[in-house]
């Protein structure tokens, strides 16, 4: 099973700042089969990025994804108040599909 | 609007059983595979089980294999999860999630809470 490790566990930033979240895989993720999700408190996860870098429908362009192989990054260019949430990466290139443990982006 | 609404959660004793349901609307249900993904209190996401569009192909996480059974009824636009031999480690919020053709999850329900406790 591919283990995904997200860092940092918590990111303390101010609105307007840039956020950089990392997701490392224990094995290469085939065909860039990596997604990012946002989860606000009490709500269902929301798909942000698939295919490592493709934005899902309706996702603002301040969210961008990059990476390949074992190293992936989610960048939020300028944090808006609604962006303070927990972010998860997920690989779907090999079974079982696995998630990272999450990065919490909190207001500094 | 795509909607996934889970139900059937509750408190169950260790060793007990529970059946979860997920009602889908706003899309052609039998065009998509669907999964169950759970989230233990204060923890991250764990994929549990998946079923393809016609119910022929199913898969399970090792942690639930042999205890949980996923099924669907396309005529009722519904997904199910039969959970047997439940243990404390199964306590979680259970989400159903629509699986895109690319195997990522593009829509999620809000979840139904399962608590295993004596």
């Amino acid at each position: 099973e591919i283990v995904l490790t997200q860092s940092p566990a918590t990111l303390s930033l101010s609105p307007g700042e840039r956020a950089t979240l990392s997701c490392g895989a224990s094995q290469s993720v085939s065909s860039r089969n990596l997604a990012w999700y946002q989860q606000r408190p009490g709500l269902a996860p929301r798909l942000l990025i698939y295919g490592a870098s493709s934005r899902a429908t309706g996702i603002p362009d301040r969210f961008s994804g990059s990476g390949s192989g074992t190293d992936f990054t989610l960048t939020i260019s300028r944090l808006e108040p609604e962006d303070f949430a927990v972010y998860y990466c997920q690989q779907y290139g090999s079974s079982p599909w696995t998630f990272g443990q999450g990065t919490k982006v909190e207001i500094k | 609007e795509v909607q996934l609404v889970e139900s059937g959660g509750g408190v169950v004793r260790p060793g007990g059983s529970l059946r979860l349901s997920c009602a889908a609307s706003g899309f052609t249900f039998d065009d998509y595979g669907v999964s169950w993904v759970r989230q233990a209190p204060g923890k991250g996401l764990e994929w549990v089980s998946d079923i393809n569009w016609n119910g022929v192909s199913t898969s399970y996480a090792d942690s639930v294999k042999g205890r949980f059974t996923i099924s669907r009824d396309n005529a009722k636009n519904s997904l199910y999860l039969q959970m047997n031999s439940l243990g404390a480690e199964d306590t979680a919020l259970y989400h159903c999630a629509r699986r895109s053709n690319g195997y990522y999850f593009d829509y999620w329900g809000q979840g139904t809470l399962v608590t295993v406790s004596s």
Side-chain angles (χ1 to χ4, degrees):
Chain A
E1 137 175 352
I2 295 179
V3 176
L4 299 179
T5 302
Q6 292 185 240
S7 61
T10 303
L11 201 49
S12 299
L13 295 168
S14 300
E17 289 194 293
R18 181 184 186 90
T20 302
L21 289 67
S22 295
C23 176
S26 60
Q27 307 167 40
S28 183
V29 176
S30 63
S31 303
R32 289 160 49 92
N33 287 324
L34 189 111
W36 290 92
Y37 303 89
Q38 176 195 67
Q39 188 173 32
R40 296 176 182 140
L43 297 182
R46 176 174 73 143
L47 176 68
L48 298 175
I49 301 286
Y50 63 92
S53 60
S54 298
R55 269 188 303 276
T57 303
I59 301 303
D61 60 7
R62 64 179 181 273
F63 291 92
S64 62
S66 63
S68 63
T70 60
D71 294 299
F72 298 86
T73 301
L74 174 70
T75 301
I76 311 170
S77 58
R78 288 179 57 85
L79 284 164
E80 297 288 340
E82 62 269 26
D83 299 337
F84 291 92
V86 179
Y87 293 83
Y88 295 96
C89 57
Q90 179 228 345
Q91 68 81 22
Y92 50 95
S94 69
S95 184
W97 305 317
T98 50
F99 293 87
Q101 81 280 16
T103 289
K104 181 179 181 180
V105 178
E106 66 176 22
I107 300 176
K108 186 174 182 180
Chain B
E1 179 193 5
V2 172
Q3 286 199 322
L4 297 164
V5 180
E6 303 90 339
S7 61
V11 180
V12 61
R13 295 193 183 279
S17 298
L18 212 54
R19 189 193 196 210
L20 307 183
S21 300
C22 172
S25 61
F27 66 102
T28 303
F29 184 61
D30 55 12
D31 276 352
Y32 292 88
V34 276
S35 276
W36 288 98
V37 179
R38 68 184 179 184
Q39 190 166 25
K43 302 296 185 182
L45 301 166
E46 179 191 17
W47 171 76
V48 172
S49 182
D50 183 84
I51 189 166
N52 76 328
W53 69 275
N54 62 3
V56 168
S57 177
T58 60
S59 55
Y60 299 90
D62 285 348
S63 57
V64 307
K65 202 172 292 184
R67 300 187 299 122
F68 290 11
T69 303
I70 192 171
S71 62
R72 64 189 294 163
D73 185 337
N74 286 343
K76 294 182 178 180
N77 289 342
S78 292
L79 172 71
Y80 305 102
L81 186 68
Q82 177 66 43
M83 305 185 296
N84 299 330
S85 302
L86 286 162
E89 69 277 10
D90 299 313
T91 293
L93 187 65
Y94 284 73
H95 300 276
C96 63
R98 191 180 85 169
R99 177 168 53 76
S100 73
N101 290 334
Y103 294 89
Y104 48 87
F105 302 115
D106 57 359
Y107 287 94
W108 297 63
Q110 296 234 61
T112 186
L113 183 62
V114 173
T115 303
V116 183
S117 174
S118 55

